[in-house]
Amino acid sequence: MPLTEGHTHHWPLWCFAMLAAGLLVLGVFLRHQQHKQDRAPLVTLSLFRDRQFSGGLSAQLMLGLLCGLFFMTWTLHLQRGLGMSPFHAALAFVLLALGELAGATTAAKSAGRFGRRLPQAGALIALSSMAAYGLEISSRQTDLTLLTMTAPVVLIGFGLGMVGGPLADMALAEVRHENAGSASGLFNTAMHLGIALGTALTALAFFTATNGSPDGALNRDAFTSVLWWVGGALALMWALMFCLPKQANGQGQE
């Protein structure tokens, strides 16, 4: 709420009070769970001592955050910045989805042979494609069409598709059977929390520059600045994957 509405209301005191209260409630919740560790806790706190799980969970949070930030602002860029109709903007999402499907299929066929190198390669492909897309937006401006953006958009999807499945497999691989429910719940929650945070951050990363204006140039410039945020999240996600095993079978783990 404060991240979403703070900019609109010029960051009043209640925004910072709500953020502080949220952290306080989180602390109270963790303290409560700590006391229930021997009586079927909602969150098994011992999971966070596992470097492999904690790193994978953090990478999942970054994946959700960059998706929430990118997809929300990309929709506005396509329609306001480039003047596309909702139908043509939807086709751009189809292109990205096809790339993501191809990336997920490639990851599935690898059967975990490459360990963390596979999702890390996917993150780097997505990062380099984001950079290429940003350069294309800056150079072509209003001349950017669905056809000319096809290559970077498909490759962004391909890179992201290579991340999701292997990331979940490796992050949860060493979790004990009795903690499987808590671990999978935390992993799914991390994605949804990341998407919520990423969507909320559009107020800072995008609407601060546009102020809700439909002006094409403003929306294009704001989206280009968002790509820096997304690129930073991708780079951090790539770094967090070093917590995952180097080999899928656990050998060679660092």
Side-chain angles (χ1 to χ4, degrees):
M1 173 70 178
L3 289 176
T4 304
E5 298 294 331
H7 171 69
T8 304
H9 297 284
H10 306 291
W11 298 104
L13 183 60
W14 62 261
C15 285
F16 299 101
M18 286 185 71
L19 287 171
L23 292 174
L24 178 62
V25 171
L26 177 61
V28 171
F29 171 73
L30 291 176
R31 185 69 173 171
H32 174 266
Q33 290 297 295
Q34 189 176 27
H35 287 303
K36 291 195 64 176
Q37 288 305 291
D38 297 326
R39 292 176 287 126
L42 182 65
V43 176
T44 305
L45 297 179
S46 60
L47 287 168
F48 293 99
R49 291 198 290 268
D50 182 356
R51 179 171 177 262
Q52 183 172 330
F53 176 77
S54 296
L57 187 73
S58 301
Q60 177 83 336
L61 180 68
M62 286 297 104
L63 178 61
L65 189 150
L66 69 91
C67 285
L69 185 56
F70 176 74
F71 290 123
M72 174 72 173
T73 56
W74 192 37
T75 303
L76 296 170
H77 164 69
L78 291 172
Q79 295 187 61
R80 290 183 176 181
L82 299 179
M84 287 187 179
S85 66
F87 175 74
H88 285 95
L91 288 180
F93 274 84
V94 171
L95 289 174
L96 190 140
L98 290 174
E100 192 168 1
L101 179 62
T105 302
T106 301
K109 287 184 176 180
S110 76
R113 290 193 302 271
F114 303 104
R116 71 185 181 211
R117 289 173 292 175
L118 185 68
Q120 282 187 314
L124 291 178
I125 290 171
L127 179 57
S128 58
S129 302
M130 287 277 185
Y133 189 37
L135 290 173
E136 194 175 39
I137 293 170
S138 299
S139 61
R140 288 182 176 270
Q141 295 292 326
T142 55
D143 295 331
L144 190 62
T145 64
L146 192 60
L147 181 62
T148 54
M149 72 171 70
T150 295
V153 166
V154 170
L155 285 173
I156 290 170
F158 184 81
L160 294 177
M162 290 175 63
V163 172
L167 180 60
D169 288 344
M170 284 183 281
L172 301 174
E174 300 299 321
V175 173
R176 295 166 58 184
H177 178 73
E178 60 268 25
N179 295 331
S182 183
S184 61
L186 283 168
F187 204 76
N188 287 322
T189 299
M191 172 59 82
H192 292 295
L193 177 61
I195 291 173
L197 286 173
T199 304
L201 283 173
T202 58
L204 291 173
F206 188 84
F207 291 112
T208 299
T210 65
N211 286 315
S213 171
D215 180 74
L218 277 178
N219 280 270
R220 287 192 299 274
D221 291 343
F223 180 69
T224 303
S225 68
V226 164
L227 292 181
W228 285 98
W229 289 65
V230 175
L234 277 166
L236 181 55
M237 182 178 70
W238 172 83
L240 286 167
M241 289 180 195
F242 279 103
C243 296
L244 301 175
K246 190 173 183 179
Q247 302 294 335
N249 58 7
Q251 297 176 353
Q253 194 168 342
E254 293 180 2

